[in-house]
């Protein structure tokens, strides 16, 4: 979608919003799949309300993009514009055991930065791609830890109330790959309270997790991490593997040979290919195990 309204375009500089015409979502997502639309990069949290008011009053549909690492976007010209927070500098400020982190900060860099200042707890999250905001929204986790455990406070834009709000950690429910945030809440910043731990010890933990990840996940390939959530007490990857479906392809969308819950874009996969593969595998798991796998990847259908 292209923003045609001159009044919107004219207001953007004052709002501190940068317009990128015809941005390719394939270039903004780790799967490398997705069509084109106008992209609005927001440099000031305070302008979100004004920007959304402007878009809504002109009937311009919009979606919020985080780091694009858990997202499958449709092909072609997309029927909504995309909003994304620009990364401020600095994006992490430490105050004792509390890290004030902007939602646009890279998660891996945040873990490393805190570790270098002897703040641990999030070692397992080191290889999880994406932004801190995206990790928060889905309560990203790995190797027995999840980001929600360390959240003291979240600053977000609550679209339903048209305002910025601060939520205390105890007001938010963090479950396995799920949170109580509303779908249109936009994460802006978070205060993480982290346990003190010497950098050397954290580094050891990070190395172990990295090693495990390298040996079991297709890190060099384009993917969105695990496609399905694990059903209670089971592993989606193991089930798909047991059915002998590693390597199954639709066009260039392919079940990874290394980890069966990772579906990779092995070349020029389209969203259509990837969606057909996801639906096909889900169906086969259902037939064999009577389990309805739930998507972990977020799907943006046009
Ligand atoms: N397994 C297989 N074949 C496979 C994949 C896994 O037999 O193709 C077996 C493994 O050998 C292991 C068991 O299944 O015995 C579990 O596998 P793994 O340790 O790789 O964990 P997972 O349950 O597949 C989860 C998370 C990952 C996270 C790892 C490590 C989900 C859906 N996946 O994977 O998170 O990195 O544990 O903590 O919760 C993600 O969310 O995107 C993600 C990659």
């Amino acid at each position: 979608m292209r923003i045609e309204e001159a009044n919107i375009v004219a207001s953007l500089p004052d709002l501190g919003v940068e317009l990128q015409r015809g941005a390719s979502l394939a270039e903004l997502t780790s799967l490398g799949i997705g069509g084109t639309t106008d992209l609005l990069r927001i440099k000031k949290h305070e302008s979100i309300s004004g920007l959304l008011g402007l878009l809504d009053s002109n009937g311009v549909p919009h979606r919020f993009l985080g780091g694009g690492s858990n997202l499958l976007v449709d092909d072609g010209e997309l029927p909504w514009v995309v909003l994304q927070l620009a990364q401020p500098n600095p994006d992490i400020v430490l105050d004792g055991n509390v890290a004030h982190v902007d939602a646009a900060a890279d998660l891996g860099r945040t873990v490393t930065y805190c570790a270098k200042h002897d703040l641990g707890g999030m070692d397992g999250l080191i290889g999880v791609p994406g932004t801190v905001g995206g990790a928060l929204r889905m309560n990203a986790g790995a190797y027995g830890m999840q980001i929600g455990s360390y959240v003291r406070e979240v600053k977000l834009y609550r679209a339903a109330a048209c305002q910025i709000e601060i939520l205390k950690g105890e007001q938010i429910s963090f479950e396995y790959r799920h949170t109580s945030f509303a779908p249109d809440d936009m994460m802006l910043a978070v205060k993480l309270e982290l346990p003190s731990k010497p950098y050397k010890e954290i580094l050891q933990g990070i190395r172990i997790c990295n090693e495990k990840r390298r040996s079991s996940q297709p890190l060099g390939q384009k993917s969105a991490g695990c496609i399905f959530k694990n059903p209670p007490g089971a592993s989606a990857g193991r089930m798909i593997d047991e059915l002998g479906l590693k390597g199954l392809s639709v066009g260039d969308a392919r079940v990874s040979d290394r980890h069966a819950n990772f579906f990779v874009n092995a070349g020029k996969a389209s969203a259509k290919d990837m969606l057909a593969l996801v639906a096909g595998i889900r169906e086969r798991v259902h037939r064999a195990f009577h389990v309805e796998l739930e998507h972990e990847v977020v799907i943006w259908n046009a």
Side-chain angles (χ1 to χ4, degrees):
M1 160 173 263
R2 298 291 179 272
I3 299 177
E4 310 286 358
E5 295 78 359
N7 64 322
I8 301 184
V9 177
S11 306
L12 297 178
D14 281 349
L15 287 167
V17 176
E18 190 186 285
L19 170 62
Q20 189 186 329
R21 291 286 191 188
S24 161
L25 271 287
E27 286 168 18
L28 295 169
T29 54
S30 57
L31 256 177
I33 294 177
T36 50
T37 189
D38 279 359
L39 174 71
L40 295 163
R41 279 224 170 78
I42 303 166
K43 294 184 202 144
K44 293 187 286 187
H45 293 168
E46 297 68 35
S47 40
I48 294 173
S49 177
L51 175 64
L52 293 186
L54 202 56
L55 295 176
D56 289 342
S57 61
N58 284 277
V60 178
H62 44 78
R63 303 238 167 146
F64 297 124
L65 175 69
S69 59
N70 189 41
L71 189 62
L72 171 52
V73 183
D74 221 332
D75 305 312
E77 185 63 29
L78 303 166
W80 13 261
V81 299
V82 168
L83 315 183
Q84 192 179 38
L85 292 178
Q87 210 176 325
N89 187 16
D91 52 0
I92 311 169
V93 175
L94 300 181
D95 176 11
N97 282 56
V98 177
H100 300 246
V101 191
D102 192 272
D106 178 75
L107 179 63
R109 203 183 82 74
T110 303
V111 176
T112 318
Y113 184 89
C114 293
K116 283 185 180 153
H117 291 83
D118 301 318
L119 294 175
M122 300 196 294
D123 324 359
L125 293 173
I126 183 73
V128 177
T131 60
V132 167
L136 257 183
R137 157 161 290 292
M138 66 174 291
N139 190 21
Y143 305 112
M145 55 201 76
Q146 52 180 32
I147 191 167
S149 311
Y150 303 101
V151 171
R152 184 198 263 196
E153 207 172 273
V154 174
K155 178 182 170 197
L156 50 80
Y157 179 79
R158 193 130 265 189
C162 298
Q163 62 184 20
I164 291 178
E165 291 183 10
I166 309 270
L167 296 183
K168 298 276 177 214
E170 52 274 18
Q171 292 174 273
I172 309 160
S173 118
F174 290 102
E175 292 157 44
Y176 165 66
R177 305 291 194 273
H178 179 79
T179 60
S180 52
F181 296 118
D184 54 1
D185 282 346
M186 188 178 191
M187 305 297 116
L188 299 180
V190 61
K191 281 188 199 172
L192 298 167
E193 187 162 359
L194 301 168
S196 299
K197 204 171 170 187
Y199 178 47
K200 271 193 177 164
E201 274 180 40
I202 304 174
L203 205 56
Q204 271 179 339
I206 284 178
R207 286 207 179 111
I208 293 169
C209 291
N210 271 342
E211 194 41 52
K212 282 191 201 161
R213 206 181 282 282
R214 257 197 301 273
S215 67
S216 64
Q217 300 181 359
L219 299 188
Q221 289 179 283
K222 289 182 187 170
S223 84
C226 285
I227 284 281
F228 298 109
K229 293 184 186 182
N230 282 338
S235 159
R238 186 194 300 232
M239 289 194 280
I240 299 167
D241 194 359
E242 279 177 8
L243 294 176
L245 299 176
K246 276 183 170 166
L248 188 77
S249 303
V250 176
D252 277 340
R254 181 181 168 89
V255 179
S256 161
D257 295 313
R258 184 165 280 219
H259 193 300
N261 197 11
F262 280 65
F263 294 11
V264 299
N265 173 2
K268 289 195 166 138
S270 63
K272 198 163 164 254
D273 295 337
M274 191 56 82
L275 286 166
L277 185 65
V278 172
I281 296 280
R282 199 168 170 272
E283 170 64 30
R284 290 170 82 155
V285 167
H286 184 234
R287 245 186 283 143
F289 298 100
H290 309 290
V291 170
E292 299 259 15
L293 289 178
E294 207 183 311
H295 298 149
E296 176 176 310
V297 68
V298 174
I299 298 173
W300 281 4
N301 280 313

